[in-house]
Structure formats: structure tokens, C-alpha cells
Amino acid sequence: MPVEVSDQELCEWYETGIQLAKECGHMIKDCFYKDKKVTQKSSFADLVTETDQAVEKYFTKEIHKKYPGHKVIGEETVADGYKINFTDDPTWIIDPIDGTSNFIHRLPYTCVSIGLTINKEEIIGIVYNPITNDFFQARKGHGAFCNGEKLSVTGLEDIEKAMFIMEFGSNRDPDKMAVKFKNLFTLNKASHGIRAYGSAALNLCAVAQGRGDGYVEHGIHCWDIVAGAVIVREAGGVVLDPSGQKFDLMSRCCLAAASLPLAMKVSSLIEDPGFGRD
Ligand code: LIP
């Protein structure tokens, strides 16, 4: 049975998400210029700090206190061995610091990313970079905003005039890297160029803001992209699986673009490195 939610409840949950994102952002900002305790996860390039863990713990505690029936999926809890169980229940999905490597290296392209799904659909997206003070927010059907200003994608359709964002990622498997580099090369050849900023959530916000026309990445997870996906759609963009099929939050990949024709063109040019599903 699908979960039914009133507009009043959604408004309240949106406000809660916004308030908690601000509080998480303050925790990130406080530690940005301090020495950090860094721990490796799946590889020497896949990292976590005590701030990632503290932010996620704080957010999860607050959500469970306010809404005992809601679920939380968080990057660091999953890294600690918790199995993802994605259900129809209202589910908050948090990446406590998206762009952890940037955070470690004091590159101010880092953020907290918070999404809410209901009946497995992305409904609310909040992305906050507390270093540059950019606060992105969107709720399905209500538009996307940065610091109160309405966002719109460029709407570009012609790949030869496009600028894309892609990422190298933290996986060092040579076969997967070979396909990723081939995709980078192919898209670079077809367009004005490729940029890599190190945060999937902020990359999606950049597309929503019209700072670039598309973003494609394989090897990411639901917490990297859930909030940004809502923000791109509400700014008039499209979010698909890179194969051109319907977007699937658990498929570890994402293609966002300023228009459907541009997305389909990109999709026809790139290959799947095969990261599997979460
Ligand atoms: C990061 C992503 C980025 C990807 C990195 C990493 P994290 O998330 O946002 O797009 O290329 O490998 O997964 O680990 O900083 O939350």
C-alpha cells in the first residue's frame, strides 16, 4: 500500500529538512579549517572524517526523535555495515559531507546533501555549501531555489555548445577507470569541455543553476544524488539513468541535463563501466 501524505505534513518535513541542513552546515563550517581525523573506507581514495560521522549521527538522531516512523539512509552508516533497505516509507537520505576529499583538502566545494523520498520517489532535496554559503532547496512541484532565487537550467539541446561536469570518482579498478576515461574523452570531443568539481550534489546544483548543461557519473550512491535530482528537475532539467532509461536511485549512476534531447545525445555516446546496484 502506498504511503499517503498530506500537503501540511510535506510542508513541515521540508521546513525540518531545511533547519537540520543549516545546523549540519554549521558543524561542517566549524571544522573546515581545522585539522581532521581522516580514515580510509573502501580504498585509499575513499575517505571519511569524524565530521562526516558526527553530522550524520546528529541528523539521524534528530529525525528519529521528531518522526519515529521515518527511515534514514546515510552514507557513513552504510559504510559501517548497515544494509540499505529502501521502502515506501518516508525516507531521509543524507550524505553528511558530499565532497569529503574537497573538505579534507580545504577546497570550498563541499556540502551537506539531504533528500526525502516517499513511495520511493524523490520529493525533497536540500544541498547546503556552508563555506560559500550557497543554500539550494527544492520540493517536487514547488520550484528550485538558491538563497531564495529561483533556478533554471539553460535548456540547451546542442551538444556542440554544451559544457559538462563529470567525475573521476574514488574507485581505482583499472577496467572501470578505463571506461570512465573513455567516456570523458568522448564527451570532451563532442562538446565545449568537461569540468570535475568533486561533489555530485553540487554538480547537480550547478546544472540546475545553468552553470553547465549536464552532469554524468557512474559509481556514485543514492546519498550523492537524491537531493540534487529533485533540484535539477524543479529547475526544468531532466534526470535519467545514463542508459537513457528512467532514473533509478539505487543504480549507482546518474545523467542530468538541461534538456531531454541533450540527455539522449549524451546517453548515446557513453558506456556503462558496470558498478552494479546498491
Ligand atoms: C563523492 C561524490 C563525487 C564522486 C566521489 C565521491 P563523497 O562523494 O560526490 O561525485 O566522484 O568519488 O563519491 O564520498 O565525498 O560523499
Side-chain angles (χ1 to χ4, degrees), residues 3-67:
V3 174
E4 283 189 28
V5 173
S6 70
D7 195 58
Q8 199 188 338
E9 280 174 306
L10 270 178
C11 283
E12 191 209 309
W13 299 350
Y14 195 23
E15 280 313 313
T16 298
I18 289 168
Q19 185 51 36
L20 287 177
K22 287 180 182 163
E23 291 166 23
C24 293
H26 292 147
M27 292 171 76
I28 296 169
K29 193 174 182 177
D30 273 353
C31 300
F32 189 70
Y33 289 107
K34 292 189 183 149
D35 286 341
K36 299 161 182 104
K37 187 168 165 256
V38 180
T39 312
Q40 290 184 16
K41 296 195 285 183
S42 63
S43 78
F44 68 87
D46 184 15
L47 305 169
V48 61
T49 71
E50 72 269 58
T51 311
D52 297 65
Q53 288 159 338
V55 169
E56 184 165 318
K57 211 168 157 194
Y58 173 73
F59 177 84
T60 306
K61 189 182 83 207
E62 291 300 310
I63 288 293
H64 284 153
K65 202 160 70 187
K66 247 178 144 24
Y67 311 120

Side-chain angles (χ1 to χ4, degrees), residues 41 45-47 52 75-76 95-102 167-171 180 198-201 203 215 217-221 223-224:
K41 296 195 285 183
D46 184 15
L47 305 169
D52 297 65
E75 175 173 22
E76 308 314 336
D95 188 338
I97 302 184
D98 188 52
T100 297
S101 295
N102 288 350
E167 295 287 345
F168 305 98
S170 57
N171 188 290
K180 287 190 103 174
S199 159
N203 292 342
Y215 157 68
E217 184 165 1
H218 291 91
I220 41 174
H221 298 273
W223 43 82
D224 297 307

Side-chain angles (χ1 to χ4, degrees), residues 93 95 98 111-116 122-128 136-139 144-145 151 153 199-209 215 220-240 247 249 254-257:
I93 302 181
D95 188 338
D98 188 52
C111 63
V112 56
S113 169
I114 295 168
L116 177 70
E122 305 85 31
I123 304 292
I124 284 172
I126 303 160
V127 173
Y128 180 33
F136 299 90
Q137 62 186 84
R139 181 184 148 195
F145 301 86
L151 301 179
V153 298
S199 159
L202 288 172
N203 292 342
L204 287 160
C205 291
V207 174
Q209 259 179 317
Y215 157 68
I220 41 174
H221 298 273
C222 57
W223 43 82
D224 297 307
I225 50 179
V226 60
V230 184
I231 293 167
V232 168
R233 286 194 195 116
E234 287 303 311
V238 295
V239 181
L240 296 175
F247 178 64
L249 197 49
C254 174
L255 164 59

